[in-house]
Amino acid sequence: MTITTISPAEARRKIDAGAQLVDIRDRDEHARENIPGAVNVPLSQIGSLPPCAQPVIFHCRSGMRTAANADLLAGAAQDAPCYIVEGGIDAWRQAGLPVSIDRKQPLEIMRQVQLGAGGLVLLGVALGFLAGPGFFALSAFVGAGLMLAGATGWCGMASLLRHMPWNRRSQGA
């Protein structure tokens, strides 16, 4: 089955006519910001999507994850017509359509990794110049960790951050 890309406005019309909206982002992303009525089935669990008689519309944050995994999503929809929201929830929000935001939820894990890694690199460089060149090793260590994460798909910093107290709220959501 093929999957078609549609605009947020067209997606809204199809949802109003009975289509099911599926958010393929991770649970922490969905907990912080979501389209009301969207069912959260993370991409890693998309095979558990229950069969649907009505059309299925998939979305992610920017549309890149859904586009990159279009064949997988089409297979998960089984025989139901399926669509991808062009531009994801970002385009949905820009189109003036409703989005539910819970600022009490922590930032998404990957944003926390980006902030943490960037902060550690800057700290390592600043301390390297101000205190001693040995501190440049901190930046090198973070860079090596990011390279490992990119090569293997496992991120030690993300694993550590998931266990922090401020992230425990979203794990049950």
Side-chain angles (χ1 to χ4, degrees):
M1 166 152 265
T2 60
I3 194 162
T4 306
T5 301
I6 58 175
S7 71
E10 181 63 21
R12 175 82 268 164
R13 285 191 288 278
K14 289 186 180 299
I15 293 164
D16 290 343
Q20 180 179 5
L21 181 63
V22 177
D23 183 349
I24 67 161
R25 298 174 305 147
D26 288 336
R27 295 200 190 290
D28 61 333
E29 294 174 274
H30 180 82
R32 183 156 171 96
E33 179 180 35
N34 62 72
I35 297 171
V39 175
N40 182 225
V41 181
L43 184 60
S44 62
Q45 300 168 5
I46 202 67
S48 67
L49 183 69
C52 235
Q54 67 265 29
V56 179
I57 302 171
F58 296 101
H59 85 83
C60 62
R61 185 183 59 78
S62 67
M64 292 183 70
R65 261 180 282 189
T66 50
N69 294 283
D71 291 339
L72 179 66
L73 298 175
Q78 299 169 17
D79 293 329
C82 56
Y83 306 91
I84 292 174
V85 177
E86 182 178 14
I89 194 171
D90 290 345
W92 182 276
R93 187 181 334 92
Q94 289 173 353
L97 295 168
V99 175
S100 175
I101 299 173
D102 183 356
R103 297 207 189 279
K104 292 179 182 174
Q105 291 293 328
L107 289 175
E108 301 86 19
I109 294 293
M110 290 317 297
R111 285 186 62 197
Q112 291 180 45
V113 167
Q114 292 165 342
L115 289 166
L120 287 171
V121 167
L122 287 174
L123 179 65
V125 169
L127 289 174
F129 282 120
L130 298 173
F135 284 103
F136 287 121
L138 175 60
S139 298
F141 178 74
V142 172
L146 292 172
M147 294 290 294
L148 176 71
T152 65
W154 179 83
C155 180
M157 187 179 288
S159 296
L160 177 68
L161 286 169
R162 276 190 187 92
H163 297 292
M164 292 294 134
W166 60 85
N167 286 323
R168 292 192 184 137
R169 291 189 292 254
S170 67
Q171 291 176 0

